[in-house]
Amino acid sequence: MAKDETEAKTEAKTVREYRTEELAEAAGIPVRTLRFYRERKLLPPPRREGRIAWYDEHHLARLRTIAALLERGHTLGGIAELTAAFESGRDVSQLGELLGIGWSEETPVRLTPEALADYFEGEVTPENLAASLDLGYLAVDGDAIVHVSRRLLDVSSALVREGVPLAAVLETGRRVREHADAMALLFTELISTHISPSPDALTRLRPLAKSVVEAELTMAMDRLPASAAGQEPSS
């Protein structure tokens, strides 16, 4: 037997499983609370072996997430809606295909659901979570959430802290992406028309395209009337 197969079987045998009472004890909740969560479909169904229900580490992680979200002021109904949105999200393996990126420059960030709630205090609603998943900013990876870009995560959370609703940030992100896609196509066509197209050429000239966009955006914001920029007109 190959070494990898042996290791896989050993790992499978060592996966921890819990009976109902054991899971409740590990999560620090009464058995009746565990059963209530199961009835409310806040937990995925356990594995059944006759009349015995077997739970695993994923169930324990979910219970800890529920407890953390309750501490942050979420209701059970809201947590159920968040869970439904979370479970319908794209798997992290689909992010590269969805966004057309190779993860070459952006750094993905792995978060627990409660850590995500801390980034956007009071703004992690089922609607905002669904919009983020639809945009591809977020994807699911087992019991965790992966944000596609550390930079986008930091910028969006900073805007929310300044008082901008997360829904407005996400809608702006959707519109920015449309313009970014158009600019990327414009530069790609420029390179393909005047330079022998190759992956090497695109990689080499990519920083030039980014510099042009950054400079033009800076000058465009400078050209805005003072009133549009939120500044008092000079006397």
Side-chain angles (χ1 to χ4, degrees):
M1 181 181 294
K3 181 179 179 181
D4 289 345
E5 293 180 8
T6 302
E7 290 177 349
K9 288 189 175 182
T10 300
E11 182 179 351
K13 289 180 181 178
T14 58
V15 171
R16 176 70 190 276
E17 287 193 311
Y18 306 83
R19 293 174 182 261
T20 300
E21 295 77 9
E22 293 171 336
L23 180 66
E25 182 180 359
I29 60 175
V31 170
R32 64 178 180 276
T33 301
L34 170 57
R35 289 177 174 150
F36 175 71
Y37 289 165
R38 193 172 67 191
E39 291 168 4
R40 291 288 299 270
K41 301 188 183 304
L42 292 171
L43 287 177
R47 181 179 71 82
R48 290 283 179 180
E49 191 175 278
R51 299 182 61 182
I52 301 176
W54 289 102
Y55 300 87
D56 58 25
E57 295 292 340
H58 297 292
H59 294 95
L60 181 57
R62 177 68 61 83
L63 288 173
R64 288 171 175 164
T65 291
I66 292 170
L69 291 176
L70 286 172
E71 289 178 359
R72 287 159 173 78
H74 291 261
T75 64
L76 285 177
I79 293 172
E81 292 177 349
L82 288 173
T83 298
F86 176 66
E87 291 180 343
S88 66
R90 293 179 175 88
D91 185 85
V92 69
S93 62
Q94 298 175 282
L95 271 187
E97 178 182 349
L98 174 69
L99 297 179
I101 61 175
W103 307 91
S104 58
E105 294 184 43
E106 296 307 310
T107 303
V109 184
R110 189 179 178 87
L111 301 162
T112 62
E114 53 268 34
L116 182 68
D118 288 340
Y119 262 97
F120 303 100
E121 186 173 354
E123 293 282 328
V124 178
T125 64
E127 295 77 15
N128 286 338
L129 181 56
S132 299
L133 290 163
D134 182 58
L135 273 168
Y137 286 163
L138 299 179
V140 297
D141 186 17
D143 298 311
I145 297 174
V146 175
H147 195 290
V148 67
S149 166
R150 164 65 70 183
R151 289 193 292 181
L152 288 177
L153 175 63
D154 290 344
V155 168
S156 55
S157 62
L159 287 170
V160 169
R161 288 194 300 273
E162 291 290 338
V164 182
L166 181 55
V169 173
L170 293 172
E171 177 55 29
T172 299
R174 187 186 300 276
R175 295 170 62 187
V176 167
R177 178 174 295 173
E178 293 174 359
H179 293 292
D181 286 344
M183 288 186 289
L185 181 59
L186 182 64
F187 278 105
T188 301
E189 290 176 345
L190 175 69
I191 294 170
S192 299
T193 300
H194 298 283
I195 300 173
S196 178
S198 69
D200 179 65
L202 289 173
T203 300
R204 189 175 68 255
L205 299 176
R206 184 172 171 172
L208 302 181
K210 291 169 60 179
S211 295
V212 170
V213 172
E214 183 176 355
E216 286 289 357
L217 178 60
T218 299
M219 290 188 292
M221 297 188 77
D222 290 341
R223 289 194 296 269
L224 284 176
S227 58
Q231 300 173 356
E232 293 293 333
S234 57
S235 55

Short mmCIF file of all heavy atoms in Angstrom, two decimals, residues 121-172:
data_model
loop_
_atom_site.label_atom_id
_atom_site.label_comp_id
_atom_site.label_asym_id
_atom_site.label_seq_id
_atom_site.Cartn_x
_atom_site.Cartn_y
_atom_site.Cartn_z
N GLU A 121 -18.83 45.32 11.70
CA GLU A 121 -19.73 45.24 12.85
C GLU A 121 -21.12 45.78 12.51
O GLU A 121 -21.28 46.92 12.08
CB GLU A 121 -19.14 46.03 14.02
CG GLU A 121 -19.94 45.88 15.30
CD GLU A 121 -19.26 46.53 16.48
OE1 GLU A 121 -18.12 47.01 16.31
OE2 GLU A 121 -19.87 46.57 17.55
N GLY A 122 -22.12 44.92 12.68
CA GLY A 122 -23.50 45.30 12.43
C GLY A 122 -23.90 45.30 10.98
O GLY A 122 -25.06 45.55 10.65
N GLU A 123 -22.96 45.04 10.06
CA GLU A 123 -23.25 45.12 8.63
C GLU A 123 -23.26 43.76 7.95
O GLU A 123 -23.52 43.67 6.74
CB GLU A 123 -22.21 46.02 7.94
CG GLU A 123 -22.29 47.48 8.34
CD GLU A 123 -23.43 48.22 7.66
OE1 GLU A 123 -23.76 47.88 6.51
OE2 GLU A 123 -24.00 49.12 8.27
N VAL A 124 -22.94 42.70 8.68
CA VAL A 124 -22.95 41.36 8.08
C VAL A 124 -24.37 40.83 8.15
O VAL A 124 -24.78 40.17 9.10
CB VAL A 124 -21.96 40.41 8.79
CG1 VAL A 124 -22.03 39.02 8.19
CG2 VAL A 124 -20.54 40.95 8.67
N THR A 125 -25.14 41.17 7.12
CA THR A 125 -26.52 40.72 6.99
C THR A 125 -26.59 39.64 5.92
O THR A 125 -25.66 39.51 5.09
CB THR A 125 -27.42 41.88 6.59
OG1 THR A 125 -27.03 42.35 5.28
CG2 THR A 125 -27.31 43.04 7.59
N PRO A 126 -27.67 38.86 5.88
CA PRO A 126 -27.80 37.86 4.81
C PRO A 126 -27.71 38.48 3.43
O PRO A 126 -27.11 37.89 2.52
CB PRO A 126 -29.18 37.25 5.07
CG PRO A 126 -29.40 37.44 6.54
CD PRO A 126 -28.75 38.75 6.88
N GLU A 127 -28.29 39.68 3.27
CA GLU A 127 -28.27 40.35 1.97
C GLU A 127 -26.84 40.74 1.57
O GLU A 127 -26.41 40.52 0.43
CB GLU A 127 -29.17 41.58 1.98
CG GLU A 127 -30.65 41.31 2.16
CD GLU A 127 -31.04 40.99 3.60
OE1 GLU A 127 -30.22 41.26 4.52
OE2 GLU A 127 -32.16 40.47 3.79
N ASN A 128 -26.10 41.32 2.52
CA ASN A 128 -24.72 41.72 2.21
C ASN A 128 -23.82 40.51 2.00
O ASN A 128 -22.92 40.54 1.14
CB ASN A 128 -24.16 42.59 3.33
CG ASN A 128 -24.74 43.99 3.32
OD1 ASN A 128 -25.23 44.47 2.30
ND2 ASN A 128 -24.70 44.67 4.45
N LEU A 129 -24.05 39.45 2.78
CA LEU A 129 -23.25 38.24 2.60
C LEU A 129 -23.52 37.62 1.23
O LEU A 129 -22.59 37.22 0.52
CB LEU A 129 -23.56 37.23 3.71
CG LEU A 129 -22.78 35.92 3.68
CD1 LEU A 129 -21.28 36.17 3.70
CD2 LEU A 129 -23.18 35.03 4.85
N ALA A 130 -24.80 37.58 0.83
CA ALA A 130 -25.15 37.03 -0.47
C ALA A 130 -24.54 37.86 -1.60
O ALA A 130 -24.04 37.31 -2.59
CB ALA A 130 -26.68 36.95 -0.62
N ALA A 131 -24.57 39.20 -1.44
CA ALA A 131 -23.99 40.07 -2.47
C ALA A 131 -22.48 39.85 -2.57
O ALA A 131 -21.92 39.82 -3.67
CB ALA A 131 -24.29 41.53 -2.14
N SER A 132 -21.81 39.70 -1.43
CA SER A 132 -20.36 39.47 -1.43
C SER A 132 -20.01 38.13 -2.08
O SER A 132 -19.02 38.03 -2.82
CB SER A 132 -19.83 39.51 0.00
OG SER A 132 -20.06 40.76 0.60
N LEU A 133 -20.81 37.12 -1.80
CA LEU A 133 -20.59 35.81 -2.42
C LEU A 133 -20.84 35.88 -3.91
O LEU A 133 -20.11 35.28 -4.71
CB LEU A 133 -21.50 34.78 -1.77
CG LEU A 133 -21.17 34.39 -0.32
CD1 LEU A 133 -22.35 33.69 0.35
CD2 LEU A 133 -19.93 33.50 -0.27
N ASP A 134 -21.88 36.62 -4.32
CA ASP A 134 -22.20 36.75 -5.74
C ASP A 134 -21.10 37.48 -6.49
O ASP A 134 -20.76 37.11 -7.62
CB ASP A 134 -23.54 37.48 -5.89
CG ASP A 134 -23.96 37.61 -7.34
OD1 ASP A 134 -24.09 36.56 -8.00
OD2 ASP A 134 -24.15 38.74 -7.83
N LEU A 135 -20.54 38.52 -5.87
CA LEU A 135 -19.45 39.26 -6.49
C LEU A 135 -18.17 38.43 -6.57
O LEU A 135 -17.28 38.72 -7.38
CB LEU A 135 -19.17 40.54 -5.70
CG LEU A 135 -19.99 41.77 -6.04
CD1 LEU A 135 -19.81 42.84 -4.98
CD2 LEU A 135 -19.57 42.32 -7.40
N GLY A 136 -18.07 37.43 -5.72
CA GLY A 136 -16.84 36.65 -5.67
C GLY A 136 -15.82 37.22 -4.71
O GLY A 136 -14.67 36.79 -4.69
N TYR A 137 -16.22 38.21 -3.90
CA TYR A 137 -15.32 38.71 -2.87
C TYR A 137 -15.10 37.63 -1.80
O TYR A 137 -14.03 37.55 -1.21
CB TYR A 137 -15.89 39.95 -2.21
CG TYR A 137 -15.84 41.21 -3.05
CD1 TYR A 137 -16.62 42.31 -2.72
CD2 TYR A 137 -15.01 41.30 -4.16
CE1 TYR A 137 -16.57 43.47 -3.48
CE2 TYR A 137 -14.96 42.44 -4.92
CZ TYR A 137 -15.74 43.53 -4.58
OH TYR A 137 -15.69 44.67 -5.33
N LEU A 138 -16.13 36.83 -1.56
CA LEU A 138 -16.06 35.78 -0.55
C LEU A 138 -16.33 34.43 -1.18
O LEU A 138 -17.05 34.32 -2.17
CB LEU A 138 -17.10 36.02 0.55
CG LEU A 138 -17.01 37.31 1.37
CD1 LEU A 138 -18.15 37.36 2.39
CD2 LEU A 138 -15.67 37.42 2.08
N ALA A 139 -15.75 33.40 -0.58
CA ALA A 139 -16.04 32.02 -0.95
C ALA A 139 -15.94 31.18 0.32
O ALA A 139 -15.40 31.63 1.34
CB ALA A 139 -15.06 31.50 -2.01
N VAL A 140 -16.50 30.00 0.26
CA VAL A 140 -16.49 29.14 1.44
C VAL A 140 -15.40 28.08 1.29
O VAL A 140 -15.10 27.61 0.20
CB VAL A 140 -17.87 28.47 1.65
CG1 VAL A 140 -18.93 29.52 1.91
CG2 VAL A 140 -18.26 27.61 0.44
N ASP A 141 -14.82 27.73 2.42
CA ASP A 141 -13.79 26.69 2.47
C ASP A 141 -14.00 25.90 3.75
O ASP A 141 -13.45 26.23 4.80
CB ASP A 141 -12.40 27.32 2.43
CG ASP A 141 -11.30 26.26 2.33
OD1 ASP A 141 -11.63 25.11 1.98
OD2 ASP A 141 -10.14 26.58 2.61
N GLY A 142 -14.83 24.88 3.67
CA GLY A 142 -15.17 24.11 4.87
C GLY A 142 -15.95 24.98 5.83
O GLY A 142 -17.00 25.52 5.50
N ASP A 143 -15.43 25.14 7.04
CA ASP A 143 -16.09 25.96 8.05
C ASP A 143 -15.62 27.41 8.03
O ASP A 143 -16.06 28.21 8.85
CB ASP A 143 -15.83 25.38 9.45
CG ASP A 143 -16.40 23.98 9.60
OD1 ASP A 143 -17.56 23.79 9.24
OD2 ASP A 143 -15.66 23.08 10.05
N ALA A 144 -14.75 27.74 7.10
CA ALA A 144 -14.18 29.09 7.05
C ALA A 144 -14.70 29.84 5.83
O ALA A 144 -15.31 29.28 4.92
CB ALA A 144 -12.66 29.03 7.01
N ILE A 145 -14.44 31.14 5.84
CA ILE A 145 -14.74 32.02 4.71
C ILE A 145 -13.40 32.56 4.20
O ILE A 145 -12.51 32.87 4.98
CB ILE A 145 -15.64 33.19 5.15
CG1 ILE A 145 -17.00 32.65 5.63
CG2 ILE A 145 -15.85 34.18 4.02
CD1 ILE A 145 -17.89 33.72 6.22
N VAL A 146 -13.26 32.65 2.88
CA VAL A 146 -12.05 33.20 2.29
C VAL A 146 -12.42 34.47 1.53
O VAL A 146 -13.31 34.46 0.67
CB VAL A 146 -11.38 32.19 1.33
CG1 VAL A 146 -10.18 32.84 0.63
CG2 VAL A 146 -10.94 30.95 2.09
N HIS A 147 -11.77 35.58 1.90
CA HIS A 147 -11.92 36.83 1.14
C HIS A 147 -10.85 36.85 0.07
O HIS A 147 -9.68 36.54 0.33
CB HIS A 147 -11.80 38.04 2.05
CG HIS A 147 -12.29 39.31 1.42
ND1 HIS A 147 -11.64 39.93 0.38
CD2 HIS A 147 -13.40 40.07 1.66
CE1 HIS A 147 -12.31 41.00 0.01
NE2 HIS A 147 -13.38 41.11 0.78
N VAL A 148 -11.23 37.23 -1.14
CA VAL A 148 -10.33 37.12 -2.28
C VAL A 148 -9.12 38.05 -2.19
O VAL A 148 -8.08 37.77 -2.75
CB VAL A 148 -11.10 37.38 -3.59
CG1 VAL A 148 -11.55 38.83 -3.67
CG2 VAL A 148 -10.27 37.02 -4.81
N SER A 149 -9.24 39.16 -1.44
CA SER A 149 -8.17 40.16 -1.47
C SER A 149 -8.02 40.86 -0.13
O SER A 149 -8.97 41.47 0.36
CB SER A 149 -8.47 41.20 -2.56
OG SER A 149 -7.66 42.34 -2.42
N ARG A 150 -6.84 40.79 0.42
CA ARG A 150 -6.55 41.53 1.66
C ARG A 150 -6.77 43.02 1.46
O ARG A 150 -7.32 43.71 2.32
CB ARG A 150 -5.10 41.24 2.09
CG ARG A 150 -4.52 42.21 3.12
CD ARG A 150 -5.23 42.14 4.46
NE ARG A 150 -4.95 40.90 5.15
CZ ARG A 150 -5.48 40.56 6.32
NH1 ARG A 150 -6.35 41.40 6.90
NH2 ARG A 150 -5.20 39.41 6.88
N ARG A 151 -6.36 43.56 0.31
CA ARG A 151 -6.50 44.99 0.07
C ARG A 151 -7.97 45.40 0.02
O ARG A 151 -8.37 46.40 0.62
CB ARG A 151 -5.79 45.38 -1.23
CG ARG A 151 -4.28 45.33 -1.14
CD ARG A 151 -3.62 46.01 -2.31
NE ARG A 151 -3.84 45.29 -3.57
CZ ARG A 151 -3.34 45.68 -4.74
NH1 ARG A 151 -2.64 46.80 -4.81
NH2 ARG A 151 -3.54 44.96 -5.83
N LEU A 152 -8.79 44.63 -0.69
CA LEU A 152 -10.21 44.96 -0.77
C LEU A 152 -10.89 44.82 0.58
O LEU A 152 -11.77 45.61 0.94
CB LEU A 152 -10.89 44.06 -1.80
CG LEU A 152 -10.57 44.35 -3.27
CD1 LEU A 152 -11.27 43.34 -4.17
CD2 LEU A 152 -10.96 45.77 -3.66
N LEU A 153 -10.49 43.81 1.35
CA LEU A 153 -11.06 43.62 2.68
C LEU A 153 -10.74 44.82 3.57
O LEU A 153 -11.63 45.36 4.26
CB LEU A 153 -10.51 42.34 3.31
CG LEU A 153 -10.91 42.05 4.75
CD1 LEU A 153 -12.42 41.85 4.87
CD2 LEU A 153 -10.16 40.82 5.28
N ASP A 154 -9.50 45.26 3.57
CA ASP A 154 -9.10 46.38 4.41
C ASP A 154 -9.77 47.68 3.99
O ASP A 154 -10.22 48.47 4.83
CB ASP A 154 -7.57 46.55 4.38
CG ASP A 154 -6.84 45.44 5.10
OD1 ASP A 154 -7.50 44.72 5.88
OD2 ASP A 154 -5.63 45.28 4.89
N VAL A 155 -9.85 47.92 2.67
CA VAL A 155 -10.47 49.15 2.18
C VAL A 155 -11.96 49.17 2.50
O VAL A 155 -12.50 50.17 2.98
CB VAL A 155 -10.24 49.31 0.67
CG1 VAL A 155 -11.11 50.42 0.10
CG2 VAL A 155 -8.76 49.61 0.39
N SER A 156 -12.64 48.07 2.23
CA SER A 156 -14.09 48.04 2.46
C SER A 156 -14.42 48.18 3.94
O SER A 156 -15.35 48.88 4.32
CB SER A 156 -14.70 46.76 1.88
OG SER A 156 -14.07 45.60 2.41
N SER A 157 -13.63 47.53 4.82
CA SER A 157 -13.89 47.66 6.25
C SER A 157 -13.59 49.08 6.74
O SER A 157 -14.28 49.60 7.61
CB SER A 157 -13.07 46.63 7.05
OG SER A 157 -11.68 46.84 6.88
N ALA A 158 -12.57 49.73 6.15
CA ALA A 158 -12.27 51.11 6.51
C ALA A 158 -13.40 52.05 6.11
O ALA A 158 -13.77 52.96 6.86
CB ALA A 158 -10.96 51.56 5.84
N LEU A 159 -13.99 51.82 4.93
CA LEU A 159 -15.12 52.64 4.49
C LEU A 159 -16.32 52.46 5.41
O LEU A 159 -17.01 53.43 5.75
CB LEU A 159 -15.50 52.27 3.05
CG LEU A 159 -14.53 52.74 1.96
CD1 LEU A 159 -14.89 52.10 0.63
CD2 LEU A 159 -14.57 54.27 1.84
N VAL A 160 -16.55 51.22 5.83
CA VAL A 160 -17.67 50.97 6.75
C VAL A 160 -17.44 51.66 8.08
O VAL A 160 -18.35 52.24 8.67
CB VAL A 160 -17.87 49.44 6.93
CG1 VAL A 160 -18.85 49.15 8.08
CG2 VAL A 160 -18.40 48.82 5.64
N ARG A 161 -16.20 51.63 8.57
CA ARG A 161 -15.88 52.32 9.82
C ARG A 161 -16.08 53.83 9.71
O ARG A 161 -16.38 54.50 10.69
CB ARG A 161 -14.44 52.02 10.26
CG ARG A 161 -14.24 50.61 10.78
CD ARG A 161 -12.91 50.49 11.52
NE ARG A 161 -11.77 50.80 10.68
CZ ARG A 161 -11.13 49.94 9.91
NH1 ARG A 161 -11.53 48.66 9.88
NH2 ARG A 161 -10.08 50.31 9.19
N GLU A 162 -15.93 54.36 8.49
CA GLU A 162 -16.14 55.80 8.27
C GLU A 162 -17.62 56.15 8.16
O GLU A 162 -17.98 57.32 8.07
CB GLU A 162 -15.41 56.25 7.00
CG GLU A 162 -13.90 56.24 7.10
CD GLU A 162 -13.37 57.32 8.01
OE1 GLU A 162 -14.09 58.32 8.24
OE2 GLU A 162 -12.24 57.18 8.52
N GLY A 163 -18.48 55.13 8.14
CA GLY A 163 -19.92 55.39 8.10
C GLY A 163 -20.60 55.05 6.80
O GLY A 163 -21.81 55.30 6.64
N VAL A 164 -19.87 54.49 5.83
CA VAL A 164 -20.49 54.10 4.56
C VAL A 164 -21.14 52.73 4.74
O VAL A 164 -20.47 51.79 5.17
CB VAL A 164 -19.44 54.04 3.43
CG1 VAL A 164 -20.11 53.67 2.10
CG2 VAL A 164 -18.69 55.36 3.30
N PRO A 165 -22.42 52.59 4.40
CA PRO A 165 -23.06 51.27 4.54
C PRO A 165 -22.38 50.23 3.67
O PRO A 165 -21.97 50.52 2.53
CB PRO A 165 -24.51 51.53 4.06
CG PRO A 165 -24.70 53.00 4.19
CD PRO A 165 -23.36 53.62 3.94
N LEU A 166 -22.26 49.02 4.18
CA LEU A 166 -21.60 47.96 3.43
C LEU A 166 -22.33 47.68 2.11
O LEU A 166 -21.69 47.38 1.10
CB LEU A 166 -21.52 46.68 4.27
CG LEU A 166 -20.82 45.48 3.62
CD1 LEU A 166 -19.41 45.83 3.16
CD2 LEU A 166 -20.79 44.29 4.58
N ALA A 167 -23.65 47.78 2.11
CA ALA A 167 -24.40 47.56 0.87
C ALA A 167 -23.96 48.55 -0.22
O ALA A 167 -23.83 48.18 -1.39
CB ALA A 167 -25.90 47.68 1.13
N ALA A 168 -23.71 49.81 0.19
CA ALA A 168 -23.27 50.81 -0.78
C ALA A 168 -21.84 50.52 -1.25
O ALA A 168 -21.51 50.72 -2.42
CB ALA A 168 -23.34 52.21 -0.16
N VAL A 169 -21.00 50.06 -0.33
CA VAL A 169 -19.62 49.68 -0.70
C VAL A 169 -19.64 48.56 -1.74
O VAL A 169 -18.92 48.60 -2.74
CB VAL A 169 -18.82 49.25 0.54
CG1 VAL A 169 -17.45 48.69 0.13
CG2 VAL A 169 -18.64 50.42 1.51
N LEU A 170 -20.49 47.56 -1.52
CA LEU A 170 -20.56 46.41 -2.43
C LEU A 170 -21.11 46.83 -3.80
O LEU A 170 -20.62 46.36 -4.84
CB LEU A 170 -21.42 45.32 -1.83
CG LEU A 170 -20.85 44.65 -0.57
CD1 LEU A 170 -21.88 43.72 0.06
CD2 LEU A 170 -19.57 43.90 -0.90
N GLU A 171 -22.11 47.69 -3.81
CA GLU A 171 -22.67 48.16 -5.08
C GLU A 171 -21.63 48.97 -5.85
O GLU A 171 -21.50 48.84 -7.08
CB GLU A 171 -23.92 48.99 -4.84
CG GLU A 171 -24.54 49.57 -6.10
CD GLU A 171 -24.86 48.53 -7.17
OE1 GLU A 171 -25.15 47.37 -6.82
OE2 GLU A 171 -24.84 48.90 -8.38
N THR A 172 -20.87 49.80 -5.13
CA THR A 172 -19.81 50.55 -5.79
C THR A 172 -18.74 49.60 -6.33
O THR A 172 -18.22 49.79 -7.43
CB THR A 172 -19.18 51.55 -4.80
OG1 THR A 172 -20.18 52.46 -4.36
CG2 THR A 172 -18.04 52.33 -5.46
#
